[in-house]
């Protein structure tokens, strides 16, 4: 059932896939692997999960929706807009803490020696340099933002940091904050840091148990033009090949499907 | 998929650029076509009720574009009269289509066209028109032969603002267009996507092409305008 | 065939500065008149009396209530209907510049031809002279390529007239069209306007502050004057008369004006090249004028201002006054405490003379008396004739 | 104390319609003149000759090369420097409307006072009459609350003059300011302008197409005429003369104009109420004029147009002409093949008379001969005097 | 935090609304302040080089706002001269501050102010100015007493377009503001968040308030303008 070895199974129909911005690259890598020949022109549409949700709700002609969270696919399912039982987690987002090297220089030697996460914990209202800024994705609208907020809450430093937080519209924009050099610290997706080839010394992956899991779910949509082709691609995502691409990109692999059962 | 580049840009980006230009051109054309009579009517009408219309035209500006797009999306749905009649008339849904994009741009850019035109119209000396009317020139001919040339600066402003704004418009287009490559994925969305997915080179290249292109166009138009401003046609 | 107007206008001062002045500063203007739609009607009145208001009303630029405007068989405005300006073809030449600033002189002239006239050819009773001819007549041929903002005031007035003529109007409304022209150009243009009105049967309303101009060109006269009763002052159309009649009627308002003139029809008999004079025959007698550039035998209408005519009981040969015509006093009217006007009969025609009361008493002039009318040739400028031939 | 100008302007036809006409249609205008900065200088010339161009150059609105403008001790323009218009205080009254349309008449008048004059009080040699007085003089008192677009053409001209006067200018440049005014208002305003120029020592340049107007008001004259050599025609400032001198000099260009006039200084001797006349004494002799509203004993300057003066060898009593003055022929000059102008001496003063060549020959007039000059009282309108008293 | 609603909206939304109004007001004020001399200079200058400036002013329009915001953010960083000098001058970083928002809005809305003003200026008859100058009125006084009142319709257009566009502007504000409640979280972002998180009631309420408020304001302004258009000041 490996698509690569069994080309006859590969349905010859192009797909229109809506994907949350943060997973766009990985999806394209997956598609490239899935389609060995470049004949087919699949369409990849990326926007924030919220926007894609609104569009689907209003009849957007998508086949598959890769959301960055589980709420929206769930909601679509409730609305009866999805192929029943198609909803499943395709990747689990990993949160990483990035610290601006310039910011580090402002701190004392002791602090500089600490790992990013410990450093975060060590910072208090007293020793915080002036105009420290922590960038998160939108804590209400973006799953990574929400996860980041739960992390700070779990570490019981939300009260301290809340006034210093700047929120980007989505997690992709958090990286733009990082890139622009205007923020001191940032909680964003590991996938982006990897993609951007940020030196590993600048960030640290946050252990998954410290924040609410970022289950990224997909659904095949009711309106899909070619359910079979969509299903075939979704099935491909369960292959080890696909798994390796996903995890290489900086995501954890899903350990459970929509019903919560372990896959492996 | 986005690998091969032809002259700096990938095929999809060239496509997006072409779509942007098409969208901006069609929208600007329609904006001028609709905005001109509207502005002229608003300018001439002394009735109070037109104030309401003037205010309504400017309203779409105050909402964030994505939200505006969201509301438009609701209005385009096949169960609304707009979406329904469009579907019936054309057989195509309005949402996620090029036509939908055009309609959205029209609504959103209308104030940029109507208001400069009204400003320009208000600068025209009434006597030119009165004089022409006694020469037997009909109102329509007066409009084309006097009002339009005398307010050409206003038309230029309206067209540039309308065109540029449609080129750069992103929130509404993203929402109601659904960024379908080759159909509704315009260059502003392409740039946005590139930046979001850290493809900075592509983003910068596309931005640069857009800027250089627009700059040359503006330079040409303004240059022409300056040249003819102090000059008889 | 006439232009009939009846109106009662009030322009309120409402839209103006609230702080200063009372509210009773409205402008009232009413009147009724029927103007023959042949020839030129002079419109005279002091500044601000309502001349422009009247022309705008006729042209259809302002829509006043309770107004009736009829042109020949057409109803232009009445209580029910209002014919818009562009259907009236009553070309109005404004007091201020109204040429299109974005077009050259040439294109301004072509403007109405290109856009207007072609749609209504049925009203073209007459074919006016063509553009080239008109440009020559009005001295704007060299201005054609110029931009409008390069023209001098007098030049743009002339261009406006030609533009209006090229629109093939049914009636021409001229609002002080020659205000910015020098005497020489004025004469030329007045003559051409008169020629056009006559030969091409184009009626004109000619507003002017200069009765000299009006008496030179007009066949009819519309006097607008201001009348004050209680504390509102009101403009009214006071008199309307054929100018030829007016000039013979000492009771018309026209005779009281300093510009009162008589119109004499004469024929050019002979040019006296040696003395640079033309000899005109006026019935039995002759008149000498500065030489005219017209062929011998041409009939002309000569305007003789009353103030340039003096009276002598005898025919003296010691005076430098060349024209001494035997005449009979027909009528005497006192105009003011100093001035009297005298109507003289010369052959079948009439001449007017204003003299002082003192002279009247000194010479003991009476109706029926035979006297000599003295007219200085020099006082009658070469341009004081009106037309080349009669209707 | 004078206004000195020297310039050489070429306005190219470059910016115009390319299709039609040759490129040699440029407008050339050059000249040099020094105008006394006292009194009124009339500027006369045909339409399009460059009068407006000249005023704009003096006001500092156009910056032409190779131009020198000096006003009294100040250099307004030379090859190095150019004083901007708002520092010159040379108030220009345009031919077309230039009142601010967003302000009422009243606010237009206050406009310059509020914004301009206060900053430069040092140049105010004279204190001009205040706003109320000026509004009265120029007949605009009731117009104050009106919006500008409500004014008639003549009304806005008068408002413009008052507005310019209220800006307390160093010199007033008037570009046909009375073109749209009726004869009566014209006289009033001319008189006030003259009064202001005299009593408040405000120099004026007065452009007009009417030499009648100019001879009535002006002390000096600037003639602009067009000269054609080869195929370019060029405007030049042809003559500059004191008008009083010009009127006595048969060789000045002025004498050749149909409006040539002599200026007589007389004193009002007595009013003849019965006949509605005023008796003026002119040296030994007397003159009758229509009654003037001036006190007996007032000295006036009387303008007598040459064309209104005829010559008689005898003193006849049979003529209606009231004024018959003994005179001596001083000079005779032929103006055209029909016209001669004669300079007559009456007491210490001079009178001009234009008569036909034919009369000259018939009467055999010669220099030195004693004759009688006949002036119709009626021909001298009541407003033909220039000033109430002399400098 | 967002639980309690005071008159229809939560405290945070009221705050966002207030911030929006503040941002729009400050921006409009500065836009007019800067745009007026700029437009006047561009209008009067006959030199060719100004065409370049005219074109540059319109350029920000052609880029998608978020991308424009990203580029601005790059420019705001403390290691650029702009960010650095701002930090030195004020002690505050430019990014994620209200001042930064204002600066961003200025750049983005400048064409909406400069172009209508230029249009209005080009409608003014030169003779009014010339006439005034011979009355001794200085160029500055001429500008304030003639040019400004005669182009008041252009100012009105400029101000409304500038204000409304800043109110609705979202992409740049989202990017360079960082949605800090009470500081840079303006109403457009609040509405966006509500829509994204499916809190439609809040989104609709806030939109409605924004629309009704703007509509009333526009109605008032246009009504006033209409009333005075045919009238002496
Ligand atoms: N709203 C108004 N309130 C009061 N008076 C008004 C109003 N509108 C116009 N007027 C008056 O109406 C008259 C308009 O006259 P109009 O322009 O017809 O004069 P005119 O005879 O053409 O004068 P001119 O010879 O000076 O051009 C003026 O006296 C003006 O003051
Ligand atoms: N660019 C140009 N090319 C050719 N001729 C020009 C140009 N600009 C102006 N002129 C000419 O210059 C003259 C301008 O004259 P100006 O306005 O000073 O006349 P004016 O004496 O005031 O006349 P008017 O009495 O009619 O107002 C006109 O003859 C006009 O045709
Ligand atoms: Mg008038
Ligand atoms: Mg002129």
């Amino acid at each position: 059932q490996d698509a690569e070895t069994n080309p006859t199974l590969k349905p010859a129909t192009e797909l229109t896939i809506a994907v949350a911005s943060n997973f766009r690259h990985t999806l394209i890598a997956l598609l490239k692997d899935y389609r060995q020949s470049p004949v087919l022109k699949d369409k990849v549409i990326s926007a924030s999960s919220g926007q894609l949700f609104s569009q689907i709700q209003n009849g957007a002609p998508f086949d598959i929706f890769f959301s960055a969270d589980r709420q929206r696919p769930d909601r679509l399912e409730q609305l009866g807009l999805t192929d029943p039982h198609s909803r499943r987690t395709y990747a689990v987002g990993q949160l990483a803490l990035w610290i601006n090297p310039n910011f580090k220089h402002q701190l004392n030697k002791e602090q500089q020696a600490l790992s990013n996460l410990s450093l975060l914990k060590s910072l208090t209202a007293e020793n915080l340099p002036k105009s420290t800024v922590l960038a998160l994705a939108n804590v209400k609208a973006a799953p990574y933002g929400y996860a980041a907020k739960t992390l700070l809450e779990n570490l019981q430093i939300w009260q301290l940091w809340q006034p210093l937080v700047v929120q980007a519209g989505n997690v992709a924009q958090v990286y733009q904050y990082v890139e622009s050099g205007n923020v001191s610290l940032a909680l964003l997706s590991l996938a982006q840091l990897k993609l951007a080839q940020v030196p590993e010394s600048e960030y640290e992956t946050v252990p998954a148990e410290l924040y609410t899991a970022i289950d990224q779910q997909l659904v095949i949509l009711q309106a899909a033009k070619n359910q079979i082709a969509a299903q075939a691609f979704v099935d491909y995502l369960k292959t080890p090949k696909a798994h390796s691409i996903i995890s290489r990109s900086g995501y954890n692999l899903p350990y459970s499907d929509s019903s919560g059962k372990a896959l492996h | 998929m986005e690998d091969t580049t032809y002259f700096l840009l990938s095929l999809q980006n060239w496509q997006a650029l072409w779509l942007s230009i098409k969208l901006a051109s069609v929208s600007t054309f329609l904006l001028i076509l609709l905005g001109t009579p509207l502005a002229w009517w608003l300018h001439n009408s002394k009735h109070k009720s037109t104030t309401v219309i003037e205010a309504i035209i400017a309203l779409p500006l105050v909402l964030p574009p994505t939200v505006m797009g969201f509301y438009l999306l609701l209005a385009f749905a096949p169960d609304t009269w707009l979406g329904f009649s469009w579907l019936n008339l054309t057989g195509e849904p309005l949402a996620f289509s090029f036509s939908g994009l055009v309609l959205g741009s029209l609504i959103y850019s209308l104030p940029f066209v109507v208001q400069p035109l009204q400003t320009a119209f208000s600068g025209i000396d009434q006597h030119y028109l009165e004089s022409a009317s006694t020469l037997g020139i009909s109102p329509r001919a007066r409009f084309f032969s006097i009002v339009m040339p005398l307010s050409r600066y206003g038309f230029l402003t309206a067209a540039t603002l309308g065109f540029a704004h449609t080129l750069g418009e992103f929130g509404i287009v993203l929402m109601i267009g659904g960024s379908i490559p080759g159909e509704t994925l315009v260059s502003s969305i392409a740039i946005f996507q590139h930046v979001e997915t850290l493809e900075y080179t592509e983003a910068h290249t596309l931005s640069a092409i857009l800027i250089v292109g627009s700059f040359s166009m503006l330079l040409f138009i303004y240059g022409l305008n300056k040249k003819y401003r102090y000059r008889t046609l | 065939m006439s232009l009939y107007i009846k109106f009662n206008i009030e322009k309120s001062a409402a839209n103006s500065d609230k702080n200063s002045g009372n509210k009773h500063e409205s402008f009232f203007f009413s009147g009724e008149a029927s103007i023959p739609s042949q020839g030129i009607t002079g419109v005279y009145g002091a500044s601000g009396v309502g001349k422009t208001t009247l022309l705008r009303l006729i042209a259809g630029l302002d829509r006043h209530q309770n107004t009736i405007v009829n042109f020949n068989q057409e109803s232009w405005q009445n209580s029910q209907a209002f014919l818009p300006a562009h259907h009236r073809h009553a070309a109005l030449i404004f007091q201020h510049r109204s040429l299109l600033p974005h077009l050259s002189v040439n294109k301004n002239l072509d403007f109405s031809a290109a856009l207007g006239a072609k749609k209504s050819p049925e009203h073209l009773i007459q074919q006016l002279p063509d553009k080239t001819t008109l440009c020559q007549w009005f001295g704007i041929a060299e201005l054609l390529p110029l931009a409008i903002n390069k023209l001098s005031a007098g030049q743009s007035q002339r261009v406006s007239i030609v533009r209006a003529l090229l629109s093939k109007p049914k009636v021409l409304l001229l609002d002080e069209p020659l205000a910015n022209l020098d005497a020489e150009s004025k004469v030329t243009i007045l003559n051409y306007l008169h020629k056009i009105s006559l030969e091409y049967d184009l009626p004109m309303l000619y507003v002017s502050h200069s009765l000299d101009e009006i008496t030179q060109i007009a066949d009819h006269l519309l006097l607008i004057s201001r009348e004050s009763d209680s504390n509102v002052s009101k403009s009214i159309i006071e008199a309307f008369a054929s100018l030829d009649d007016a000039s013979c009627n000492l009771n018309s308002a026209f005779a009281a004006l300093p510009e009162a003139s008589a119109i004499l029809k004469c024929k050019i008999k002979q040019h006296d090249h040696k003395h640079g004079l033309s000899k005109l025959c006026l019935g039995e007698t002759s008149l000498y004028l500065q030489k005219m550039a017209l062929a011998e035998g041409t009939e002309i209408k000569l305007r003789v201002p009353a103030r340039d005519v003096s009276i002598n009981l005898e025919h003296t040969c010691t005076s430098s006054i060349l024209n001494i015509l035997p005449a009979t006093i027909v009528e005497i009217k006192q105009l003011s405490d100093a001035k009297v006007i005298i109507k003289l009969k010369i052959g079948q025609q009439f001449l007017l003379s204003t003299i002082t009361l003192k002279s009247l008493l000194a010479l003991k002039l009476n109706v029926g008396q035979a006297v000599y009318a003295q007219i200085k040739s020099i006082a009658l400028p070469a341009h004081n004739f009106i037309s080349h031939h009669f209707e």
Side-chain angles (χ1 to χ4, degrees), chain A, chain B, chain C:
Chain A
Q1 58 148 290
D2 193 338
E4 197 182 332
T5 52
N6 200 348
T8 50
L9 279 178
K10 193 161 59 182
T13 316
E14 60 190 76
L15 290 170
T16 305
I17 303 173
V19 60
S21 302
N22 70 318
F23 197 69
R24 177 185 169 88
H25 254 277
T26 317
L27 179 70
I28 287 172
L30 288 166
L31 270 171
K32 215 181 279 174
D33 179 58
Y34 177 59
R35 316 272 192 207
Q36 287 296 321
S37 71
V39 179
L40 286 177
K41 295 277 176 230
D42 298 296
K43 289 173 178 167
V44 176
I45 286 125
S46 59
S48 78
S49 305
Q51 278 165 341
L52 293 171
F53 172 82
S54 300
Q55 291 174 338
I56 291 164
Q57 221 183 349
N58 288 286
F62 303 147
D63 297 322
I64 315 175
F65 171 37
F66 284 75
S67 180
D69 64 355
R70 53 189 310 153
Q71 281 83 6
R72 279 174 256 253
D74 188 42
R75 189 73 179 271
L76 286 177
E77 197 174 69
Q78 285 168 24
L79 292 170
L81 294 171
T82 63
D83 189 8
H85 312 301
S86 66
R87 180 166 69 89
R88 57 176 292 264
T89 305
Y90 60 89
V92 177
Q94 293 198 74
L95 211 53
L97 173 64
W98 173 85
I99 297 184
N100 193 331
N102 291 339
F103 174 73
K104 264 191 182 164
H105 290 316
Q106 292 177 296
L107 303 172
N108 59 38
K109 281 268 152 19
E110 261 171 62
Q111 286 173 310
Q112 286 187 19
L114 294 173
S115 78
N116 282 4
L117 215 51
S118 323
L119 178 59
L120 179 68
K121 282 187 270 191
S122 78
L123 290 169
T124 62
E126 291 78 44
N127 63 12
L128 217 51
K130 199 169 165 281
S131 56
T132 301
V133 172
L134 167 63
L136 310 179
N138 194 299
V139 294
K140 287 174 70 192
Y144 283 88
Y146 181 71
K149 185 185 169 191
T150 58
L151 167 68
L152 296 176
E153 280 171 348
N154 287 342
L155 297 177
Q156 300 190 322
I157 49 175
W158 175 243
Q159 294 297 340
L160 170 66
W161 285 96
Q162 193 188 2
L164 308 177
V165 161
V166 297
Q167 302 176 54
N170 57 40
V171 69
Q173 288 175 0
V174 178
Y175 180 72
Q176 291 171 41
Y177 283 1
V178 168
E179 171 90 15
S180 78
N182 282 299
V183 296
S184 327
L185 309 92
L187 279 164
L188 68 170
S189 82
L190 178 64
Q192 282 175 296
L193 294 165
K194 283 194 157 176
L195 180 63
Q197 295 169 335
V198 175
E200 295 205 16
S201 58
E202 289 183 15
Y203 62 85
E204 181 187 353
T205 311
V206 181
E209 59 275 14
L210 287 180
Y211 55 91
T212 307
I214 306 162
D215 286 344
Q216 306 204 161
Q217 294 200 327
L218 64 79
V219 278
I220 296 177
L221 296 170
Q222 184 86 70
K225 290 212 180 71
N226 195 333
Q227 299 259 357
I228 296 166
Q231 191 59 53
F233 181 61
V234 168
D235 288 341
Y236 157 78
L237 294 178
K238 293 174 188 162
T239 63
K241 193 91 184 291
H243 280 172
S244 81
I245 291 175
I246 292 172
S247 61
R248 244 190 293 134
S249 300
Y251 296 95
N252 273 331
L253 288 173
Y255 293 108
S256 55
D257 63 10
S258 60
S259 55
K261 268 190 300 184
L263 269 167
H264 294 283
Chain B
M1 221 174 109
E2 297 182 24
D3 286 337
T4 8
T5 52
Y6 308 83
F7 311 107
L8 296 171
L9 291 184
S10 71
L11 195 62
Q12 188 175 344
N13 279 345
W14 278 121
Q15 215 172 28
L17 202 59
W18 159 240
L19 257 185
S20 271
I21 292 170
K22 186 171 138 195
L23 176 64
S25 307
V26 172
S27 298
T28 308
F29 176 75
L30 291 176
L31 279 169
I32 296 284
L33 208 68
L34 299 173
T36 307
L38 185 58
W40 184 238
W41 177 68
L42 288 174
H43 169 72
N44 282 308
S45 128
K46 287 178 183 78
H47 200 265
K48 277 203 171 165
S49 68
T50 54
T51 320
V52 178
I53 295 165
E54 277 182 274
I56 286 176
I57 289 172
L59 273 191
L61 281 186
V62 306
L63 285 185
T66 37
V67 176
M68 186 67 212
F70 173 65
Y71 287 134
L72 281 178
L73 215 47
L74 294 181
F76 286 0
D79 51 354
T80 64
W81 71 261
L82 176 66
F84 181 77
S85 11
W86 186 272
L87 195 61
N88 266 13
L89 278 172
T90 65
E92 299 267 320
L94 199 48
F96 314 113
S97 69
F98 186 74
S99 314
L101 283 195
V102 171
L103 192 59
S105 298
L106 285 189
I107 292 173
Y108 198 59
S109 294
L110 199 58
F112 299 128
V113 169
V114 171
Q115 296 214 2
L117 287 183
Q118 271 186 276
T119 307
F121 293 159
S122 72
I124 297 178
D125 192 335
Q126 202 59 22
H127 288 117
Y128 298 133
L129 298 174
E130 291 186 337
S131 180
S133 76
T134 73
L135 299 178
I137 317 279
S138 68
R140 172 205 288 269
R142 290 202 293 275
F143 185 81
F144 285 110
S145 60
I146 303 177
V147 177
M148 290 207 11
L150 285 184
S151 52
R152 60 187 190 279
Y153 198 84
F155 276 95
L156 186 77
T157 298
T160 22
L161 287 184
F163 192 91
H165 194 254
T166 309
L167 266 195
E169 167 44 42
F170 152 75
I172 291 189
V173 164
L174 181 67
M175 198 55 144
I176 64 181
S179 356
I180 301 165
E183 194 164 341
T184 58
L185 184 112
V186 297
S187 60
S188 59
I189 298 179
I191 299 177
F192 168 73
Q193 284 183 355
H194 285 308
V195 172
E196 295 270 289
T197 52
L198 314 184
E199 296 160 356
Y200 291 127
T201 326
E202 285 87 344
H204 296 338
T205 316
L206 192 49
S207 296
I209 289 180
L210 208 57
I211 285 186
V212 169
S214 309
F215 184 73
S216 322
M217 196 185 76
L218 288 173
L219 213 58
F220 177 73
I221 293 178
Y222 288 152
L224 222 62
N225 175 55
K226 186 137 246 167
K227 200 166 154 199
Y228 284 101
R229 195 176 336 157
Y230 303 99
R231 187 171 177 155
T232 316
L233 290 182
Chain C
M1 297 287 275
S2 75
L3 173 63
Y4 173 81
I5 40 173
K6 186 178 170 183
F7 56 92
N8 195 343
I9 298 170
E10 179 189 343
K11 287 186 186 173
S12 79
N15 267 11
S16 53
D17 197 333
K18 273 185 175 166
N19 311 331
S20 41
N22 52 35
K23 290 263 148 213
H24 303 285
E25 285 160 338
S26 292
F27 170 74
F28 297 93
F29 185 18
S30 65
E32 181 176 3
S34 180
I35 307 159
S37 62
Q38 252 112 27
I40 299 180
T41 305
V43 180
Y44 181 79
S47 171
V49 86
K51 300 181 294 301
T52 303
T53 307
L54 179 69
L55 292 200
R56 289 178 60 89
L57 177 134
I58 295 172
L61 293 179
D62 293 325
R63 186 172 186 166
H64 297 286
Q65 294 199 306
N66 305 322
T67 298
I68 298 173
V69 183
N70 293 328
F71 181 75
N72 296 343
Q73 279 79 35
E74 301 170 26
S75 173
W76 280 359
Q77 182 171 359
N78 56 40
S79 50
Q80 284 102 46
F82 179 84
L83 191 70
H86 63 284
H87 287 136
R88 296 191 184 187
H89 294 277
L92 175 55
I93 290 150
F94 281 90
Q95 261 170 310
H96 38 254
R97 304 177 165 208
S98 58
L99 295 171
L100 296 173
H102 61 292
L103 300 175
S104 67
V105 170
N106 193 26
K107 292 209 176 128
N108 259 284
L109 295 182
D110 292 342
F111 178 71
S112 56
L115 291 168
K118 65 180 169 205
K119 279 172 195 154
S120 50
E122 84 290 344
H123 78 270
L124 296 176
I125 317 151
Q126 80 295 338
Q127 192 64 42
L128 286 169
D130 68 355
K131 189 173 142 191
T132 324
T133 316
L134 287 176
C135 288
Q136 217 115 47
W137 286 2
F138 291 87
I140 57 167
E142 309 126 41
L143 304 177
L144 290 181
L146 282 188
I148 292 301
N149 63 2
K150 305 273 184 280
L151 296 184
S152 81
Q155 289 168 339
S156 41
Q157 282 180 323
R158 283 174 282 161
V159 173
S160 296
I161 298 178
V162 175
R163 183 177 72 156
L165 286 171
L166 288 176
S167 81
K168 311 205 160 134
K170 294 183 190 169
V171 52
L172 200 61
L173 309 172
L174 302 120
D175 202 352
E176 298 185 56
L178 310 185
N180 295 108
L181 281 178
D182 51 308
E184 209 176 320
S185 325
K186 229 175 215 169
V187 173
T188 323
I189 289 177
L190 281 177
N191 277 329
Y192 280 121
L193 283 178
H194 200 265
K195 181 185 167 83
I196 288 168
S197 136
L198 256 178
E199 294 182 11
Y200 300 92
D201 196 22
L202 176 65
M204 302 183 189
L205 257 78
Y206 187 93
V207 168
S208 177
H209 281 121
S210 152
L211 259 178
D212 264 334
E213 252 171 72
I214 289 185
T215 48
Q216 262 180 68
I217 194 179
D219 305 303
H220 326 291
L221 182 66
L222 217 53
L223 272 174
I224 308 178
S225 56
R226 234 166 148 66
E227 199 176 58
S228 294
D229 46 35
S230 71
N231 52 0
V232 281
S233 82
K234 200 173 157 160
S235 285
I236 47 163
I237 294 191
E238 206 185 54
F240 161 67
S242 153
L243 204 60
D244 279 28
D245 297 349
S247 66
C248 297
N249 182 359
L250 296 197
N251 294 317
S252 82
F254 177 66
L257 298 169
E259 289 88 351
S261 312
I263 311 278
L264 296 180
K265 298 180 183 181
C266 349
K267 194 179 206 163
I268 301 179
K269 206 169 177 181
Q270 200 185 322
H271 292 305
D272 174 354
H273 296 288
K274 189 175 143 216
H275 298 116
L277 297 175
S278 292
K279 187 174 178 184
L280 307 184
C281 80
L282 174 70
E284 314 289 84
T285 53
S286 303
L287 255 178
Y288 289 94
L289 245 70
Q290 289 181 61
K291 205 173 75 200
M292 293 182 239
L294 294 172
E296 292 176 1
T298 315
E299 293 192 314
I300 64 163
K301 245 167 145 183
L302 188 68
R303 188 177 69 92
V304 184
R307 47 168 250 183
D308 286 333
V309 179
S310 59
I311 289 174
N312 203 327
L313 298 179
E314 293 167 6
H315 191 301
T316 57
C317 334
T318 55
S319 161
S320 70
I321 300 178
L322 259 192
N323 300 306
I324 302 180
L325 312 175
T328 317
I329 297 181
V330 180
E331 199 179 345
I332 299 177
K333 191 180 180 217
Q334 183 156 2
L335 294 178
S336 68
D337 51 358
K339 258 191 349 184
V340 292
I341 187 161
I342 296 178
K343 186 172 173 181
L344 301 163
K345 190 166 185 191
I346 298 179
Q348 294 310 307
Q349 302 195 51
F350 298 98
L351 201 61
L352 298 180
S353 166
T354 36
I355 61 172
T356 53
L357 181 62
K358 186 170 171 146
S359 301
L360 181 84
L361 299 175
L363 301 181
K364 302 204 184 68
L365 299 177
N366 278 312
V367 172
Q369 192 174 350
V371 293
Y372 292 91
Q374 304 183 130
I375 313 168
K376 276 201 75 168
S377 300
I378 293 297
L380 298 180
H383 59 257
N384 232 6
F385 61 89
I386 294 179
S387 60
H388 304 184
H389 50 80
F390 303 140
E391 305 92 303

